Amino acid sequence: MNLKSYTITQGRDRAPARSMLKAIGFTDEDLRKPIIGIANTWIETMPCNYNLRELAAKVKEGIRAAGGTPMEFNTVAISDGVTMGTEGMKASLVSRDLIADSIELCARGYMFDGIIALVACDKTIPGAAMALLRLNVPGVIMYGGTIMPGKRNGIDITLQDVFEAVGANAAGKISDEELLDIENKACPGAGACGGQFTANTMATVMELIGLAPMYTGSTPQVDPDKDEVARRCGRIIVDAVKRDLKPRDICTRTAFDNAIASVAATGGSTNAVLHLLAMAQEAEVPLKIDEIHAISARTPLLSNLKPAGRFTAADVHTAGGIPVVAKFLLEGGFVDGSAMTVTGKTFGEEASAAVPTPGQEVIQPVSNPIKKSGGLVILRGSLSPEGCVIKVTGIERKGQRGPAKVFEREEDAMKAVTSGQIQHGDVVVIRYEGPKGGPGMREMLGVTGAIMGAGLGDTTALLTDGRFSGATRGFMVGHVSPEAVDGGPIAFVENGDMINIDIEKCTIDLEVEEATLAARKAKWTAPEPKYKTGVFAKYIKTVGSASEGAITSKVF
């Protein structure tokens, strides 16, 4: 093998480097083997990534057994659930690109021969994938796994139920004691949020795009089998180094199309639109937001998963795992089985081997889909010329026309919902929460959960240049582009303006005369950046449009 790490570890002139590495226990024999960097996103601030420290030890066992030498390093992770509804949430999307940058820096600095990234919470997954695609050295994504569902009155509950309970409590529908009981029971242990929210959506993406080995993502984090999953991933990364199988060999346009189909088929998070566009940029694979819409439109919805469905992410594992989704899509002709995966086998070879659990109801065959088209719809119109996204899983309404109620930040909208100021038929507009304007494009699960919990979900709509949690459900439109701070039309909406959203026509329009809009625009001045120093200030200067993935290192 022609190992990159030999630049660091071999030869007379590298004696000082070897001396330092021997100080922490590495031997000459260790340093002659492939050096595998373990990018660990363990952190003690949330359940999502909590067991990754233990799983890293099992990954190391697999690496050593396959003839490699592991070297572990850390990066950051921001919990969307913990920070939701606060200024801290602005750090979440910013962290995605920082994670990618930090993994890239360590890999370039130490010249690892391969990288395995241990990921869990939402932004760690695409951040790690972006880094692997930049570096294009053999790499594996290993997902820590979902949390198990909580139990209340014999019913499975998740963090989604806590957010919606806040709205129900504010509306007087449940007591303080009931809210506390839901809070105490929803999250029983380690693992990422337990529906087909963003983390589990992106874990599905990683298996179907080929960067994660199949049969690894759906195993819950606390399942005893996760240790063997970790060992297997350790063996696979060493094998990928020996094969010289690189991420860009795997993540072709065909693989991206397969991944998009998996999001559509599982009712996955709208955040996948941002992350797949960003990953495509890093892979230098042309991909446009409207192409995501086209794939979703032709792909049936197969998975009956929360936030809109019956089942939790742990139920996917008992149903046979994520590969069952791949198998059904392959059998229906909705994906291309020729794509390569990190195991060295094709997508078709891996998916064909999947065995659905007899009698399972979590993942439907293509002969009996939940819906004939997938969950992601891209809207365009006078209010969003560059496009925006709505997840229609669980929505029966084909449109919404109503008067705007405009808010300049998320907190003001949340106060309006919880104090009863939002009426049936309103279209809530939250602006200056985009990639630059926020900055960081905060998720709005607090507001959307409160709307649903207050009983307004069937009659109101919400739109924003920010984004939504994968746990969001209802008539919610995010990623409105151009964003308000860039002078997008959302900046010129006023209270009472009629907004018309048509799902069947895929349009979103502001029903205001062009002359009136021109007059408003002439009086408008872009607000000053909310942060003028530090990491947020850097982000504001470099981040691009949500319609292109909101990335800070645009390739083309």
Side-chain angles (χ1 to χ4, degrees), residues 356-362:
T357 301
Q360 65 85 21
E361 300 178 353
V362 183

Side-chain angles (χ1 to χ4, degrees), residues 47-48 79-86 89 122 157-171 174 178-187 193-194 197 307 410 414 417-418 442-455 468-473 476:
C48 312
S79 168
D80 294 15
V82 173
T83 63
M84 193 73 67
T86 72
M89 183 67 211
D122 299 6
I157 62 173
T158 70
L159 188 66
Q160 170 192 351
D161 296 279
V162 186
F163 277 100
E164 294 186 9
V166 171
N169 177 262
I174 64 172
E178 288 174 295
L179 174 59
L180 180 61
D181 190 46
I182 294 169
E183 171 190 330
N184 287 341
K185 292 176 177 174
C187 298
C193 296
F197 310 153
E410 178 187 0
M414 183 68 173
V417 174
T418 56
R442 284 193 289 183
E443 291 181 356
M444 305 285 175
L445 182 56
V447 179
T448 62
I451 287 173
M452 299 302 294
F468 300 124
S469 164
T472 288
R473 63 191 180 102
M476 314 296 177

Side-chain angles (χ1 to χ4, degrees), residues 407-493:
F407 302 93
E408 309 300 313
R409 61 179 194 145
E410 178 187 0
E411 288 88 345
D412 295 339
M414 183 68 173
K415 183 177 180 181
V417 174
T418 56
S419 61
Q421 297 176 43
I422 304 303
Q423 306 300 315
H424 294 287
D426 285 345
V427 178
V428 178
V429 178
I430 308 176
R431 62 190 177 196
Y432 296 108
E433 291 284 6
K436 295 178 187 175
M441 208 177 178
R442 284 193 289 183
E443 291 181 356
M444 305 285 175
L445 182 56
V447 179
T448 62
I451 287 173
M452 299 302 294
L456 295 166
D458 292 334
T459 57
T460 61
L462 183 149
L463 64 91
T464 179
D465 52 7
R467 60 193 176 90
F468 300 124
S469 164
T472 288
R473 63 191 180 102
F475 208 98
M476 314 296 177
V477 181
H479 310 188
V480 172
S481 303
E483 63 175 294
V485 79
D486 281 339
I490 191 174
F492 313 124
V493 181

Side-chain angles (χ1 to χ4, degrees), residues 77-120:
I78 304 295
S79 168
D80 294 15
V82 173
T83 63
M84 193 73 67
T86 72
E87 283 284 299
M89 183 67 211
K90 295 181 178 183
S92 173
L93 187 60
V94 177
S95 78
R96 183 195 69 180
D97 290 56
L98 179 60
I99 290 162
D101 290 349
S102 60
I103 294 174
E104 178 191 3
L105 280 171
C106 278
R108 294 196 189 282
Y110 293 107
M111 298 187 178
F112 297 127
D113 300 303
I115 301 168
I116 178 167
L118 276 58
V119 297

Side-chain angles (χ1 to χ4, degrees), residues 184-206:
N184 287 341
K185 292 176 177 174
C187 298
C193 296
Q196 192 66 346
F197 310 153
T198 304
N200 287 306
T201 296
M202 294 310 297
T204 303
V205 163
M206 292 306 151

